[in-house]
């Protein structure tokens, strides 16, 4: 048994059981991958994959257990490599953050700036996607951590910790009728065309749930992933916007006014997620603490060991 065989098994699954694609991803030949997998099966005495002719189609029951062990072994190998790299150069290396547009645009700039001052030799990359996509990036070791709202909580093999709370705001042009009342209701909002986030982003599920509980069917005219796009169409007079509070800046958004609506849609929690069992370089702990000062290294390590499963703000 050798590491090449384990890599081939893992990559075959990742490439949807296509051995040609697995071989390309690992810069080797398809016959070599097939032979190595067969040799591993013979050594273990079980079939890892179901087959139709020479093609593999899926995992057998023992194959699923083998894959779980392979993932753990390869994760430990990756951790060993990272330990060596960290102690060879503790203040340099690469760091990839997977996050949503809202976090990248409005939350992270000051955090990233402070981080780069502390670690100028670190190569920082930002990958953007919806919450499901960024969670998968961490699961597949394409990113070191993910930052998004609640929808990344409860994802398999991820440890998530709360960073900060925020609420939605309604954005309207100056002199809009909603600005005249003392308190805005869901019924008030539902009388206007609404421009807000796509269903996968920024607490949209809470918005929909609040209207549903009241039996209201709002006219959602336009959906977007970018609060700046939402604000642009509000400025054009196409409707009212519902965005994350962090995305509104009174100085920058002079042509708009914001109305806090946390009492209608509830508070949202942005979270940071890392892969369970992953080895985190020291500067990643520093970044997490810059993002959320309550999340010091000791607390994060406790969570990684399963000692802080229910930590909340």
């Amino acid at each position: 048994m050798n590491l090449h065989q384990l890599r081939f098994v893992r990559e075959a699954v990742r490439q949807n059981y296509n051995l040609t694609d697995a071989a390309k991803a690992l810069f080797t030949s398809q016959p070599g991958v097939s032979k190595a997998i067969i040799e591993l099966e013979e050594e273990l005495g079980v079939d890892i994959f179901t087959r139709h002719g020479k093609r593999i189609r899926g995992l057998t029951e023992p194959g699923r257990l083998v894959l779980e062990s392979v993932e753990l072994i390869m994760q430990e190998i990756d951790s060993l490599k990272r330990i060596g790299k960290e102690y060879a150069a503790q203040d340099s290396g690469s760091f990839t953050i997977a996050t949503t547009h809202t976090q990248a645009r409005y939350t992270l700039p000051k955090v990233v700036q402070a981080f780069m001052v502390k670690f100028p030799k670190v190569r920082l990359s930002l990958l953007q996607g919806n919450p499901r996509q960024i969670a998968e990036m961490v699961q597949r070791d394409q990113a070191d951590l993910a930052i998004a709202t609640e929808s990344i909580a409860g994802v398999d093999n991820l440890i998530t910790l709360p960073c900060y709370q925020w609420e939605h705001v309604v954005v309207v042009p100056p002199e809009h009728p909603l600005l005249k009342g003392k308190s805005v209701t869901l019924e008030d909002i539902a009388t206007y065309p609404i421009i807000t986030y796509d269903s996968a982003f920024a607490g949209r599920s809470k918005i929909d749930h609040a209207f549903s509980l009241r039996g209201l069917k709002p006219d959602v005219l336009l959906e977007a992933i970018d609060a700046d796009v939402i604000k642009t169409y509000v400025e054009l007079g196409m409707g009212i916007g519902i965005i994350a509070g962090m995305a509104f800046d009174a100085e920058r958004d002079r042509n708009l006014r914001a109305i806090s609506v946390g009492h209608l849609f509830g508070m949202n929690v942005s979270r940071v997620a890392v892969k369970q069992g992953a080895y985190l370089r020291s500067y990643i702990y520093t970044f997490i603490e810059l993002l959320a000062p309550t999340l010091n290294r000791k607390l994060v390590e406790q969570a990684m060991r399963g000692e802080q499963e229910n930590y909340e703000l």
Side-chain angles (χ1 to χ4, degrees), residues 186-187 190 204-218 263-266:
L186 288 171
E187 288 77 9
R204 171 64 188 277
S205 60
K206 285 195 171 183
I207 296 173
D208 293 341
H209 184 62
F211 283 119
S212 177
L213 285 177
R214 298 295 287 270
L216 298 171
K217 295 184 178 179
H263 63 292
L264 300 179
F265 302 123

Side-chain angles (χ1 to χ4, degrees), residues 68-143:
E68 290 178 8
S69 293
V70 167
E71 292 285 5
L72 290 173
I73 292 168
M74 299 312 298
Q75 185 169 299
E76 290 301 319
I77 294 296
D78 290 340
S79 292
L80 286 172
K81 292 178 179 178
R82 291 175 184 173
I83 290 170
K85 288 181 180 178
E86 174 161 356
Y87 281 92
Q90 295 191 38
D91 63 346
S92 64
S94 61
F95 178 24
T96 302
I97 300 166
T99 190
T100 61
H101 175 86
T102 297
Q103 303 291 336
R105 173 70 176 83
Y106 302 106
T107 303
L108 292 185
K110 290 183 179 179
V111 178
V112 167
Q113 184 180 39
F115 177 82
M116 295 308 297
V117 169
K118 288 179 174 289
F119 301 98
K121 296 179 182 179
V122 173
R123 298 185 304 278
L124 185 63
S125 300
L126 290 178
L127 303 179
Q128 293 184 47
N130 63 41
R132 178 184 58 79
Q133 290 169 334
I134 67 174
E136 289 178 354
M137 290 175 192
V138 176
Q139 288 176 316
R140 296 177 179 178
D141 298 317
Q142 296 168 337

Side-chain angles (χ1 to χ4, degrees), residues 277-296:
Y279 175 76
L280 302 183
R281 300 187 68 170
S282 59
Y283 53 70
I284 297 179
Y285 289 104
T286 300
F287 179 88
I288 293 172
E289 191 165 358
L290 288 171
L291 177 67
T294 57
L295 298 181
N296 57 51

